[in-house]
Amino acid sequence: MMHLILFGPPGAGKGTQAQLLVDHFKFLHLSTGDLLRGEIAAKTELGLQAKKFIDAGELVPDETVIGMIKNLIDRICTVPGVIYDGFPRTVAQAIALDNMLTECKEGITALLSLEVPHDELVKRLLIRGESSGRTDDADVATIENRITVYGEKTQPLINHYTQLGKYHPIEGVGSIEEISTRLINKVKTL
Ligand code: AMP
């Protein structure tokens, strides 16, 4: 089974590329951002709590996000492959995922890291904010905060997976199709 983490800063194109990988390989798409937005739309208690963090460009607490993944572990452990999109985002989440997968005798296959320069990220997020209506894409200050939080809390995962020999940088600039081809070709080598 394949467990692929699609990694990169906000605006790197994880959601778009995850969907294309899922279409190609027929894997399960697991986006914690989508799950959280679903909770907000359904006005659940979890959603109400999460919204405050999301709107501020902060991470939702680890226990909340890890709990959502735990609820899906039976599917995660039985499908042919999973694309993790926006998860894990902290070292604590990565360790929790490693432990959950070990319990079903699985493990992370690779971390595919989309590499995109800072100015390009801000440009893409502002454009997305105009069309998606996502509150966390609406202003430059929130976007910059998300990129800073990424650098402080999420980027350290690169070390974690490099030590495990699972880090694969992928050039994240170019057309959507070009980037998708790079990713698909990389996955075929794993
Ligand atoms: P995304 O759609 O992946 O960009 O996620 C949107 C927002 O949801 C992020 O800026 C965080 O506030 C929150 N979020 C999504 N995934 C996680 C996660 N794994 N850990 C903590 N917060 C998350």
Side-chain angles (χ1 to χ4, degrees), residues 32-33 36-37 54 58-60 65 86-87 89 93 134 136:
T32 41
L36 289 165
R37 282 184 288 276
I54 294 176
E58 298 291 335
L59 293 184
V60 172
V65 179
F87 178 86
R89 257 181 163 97
Q93 291 177 21
R134 267 182 62 164
D136 56 344

Side-chain angles (χ1 to χ4, degrees), residues 151-173:
E152 287 172 359
K153 301 203 169 140
T154 307
Q155 221 167 10
L157 288 184
I158 290 181
N159 274 341
H160 178 80
Y161 288 100
T162 300
Q163 280 163 14
L164 298 170
K166 292 179 178 170
Y167 167 65
H168 301 273
I170 307 281
E171 162 86 75
V173 180

Side-chain angles (χ1 to χ4, degrees), residues 22-102:
V22 163
D23 292 346
H24 188 90
F25 291 106
K26 311 291 176 225
F27 291 162
L28 173 68
H29 182 187
L30 221 163
S31 157
T32 41
D34 285 351
L35 291 172
L36 289 165
R37 282 184 288 276
E39 297 281 345
I40 293 170
K43 298 194 166 59
T44 64
E45 182 57 33
L46 191 158
L48 285 176
Q49 293 300 322
K51 188 173 184 334
K52 294 182 224 152
F53 295 98
I54 294 176
D55 285 351
E58 298 291 335
L59 293 184
V60 172
D62 282 336
E63 52 277 20
T64 305
V65 179
I66 292 167
M68 287 193 318
I69 298 292
K70 269 200 181 124
N71 287 338
L72 298 170
I73 197 66
D74 289 346
R75 280 188 75 198
I76 291 172
C77 286
T78 49
V79 293
V82 183
I83 308 283
Y84 300 87
D85 163 8
F87 178 86
R89 257 181 163 97
T90 63
V91 173
Q93 291 177 21
I95 291 170
L97 179 61
D98 285 344
N99 290 339
M100 283 188 257
L101 291 177
T102 304

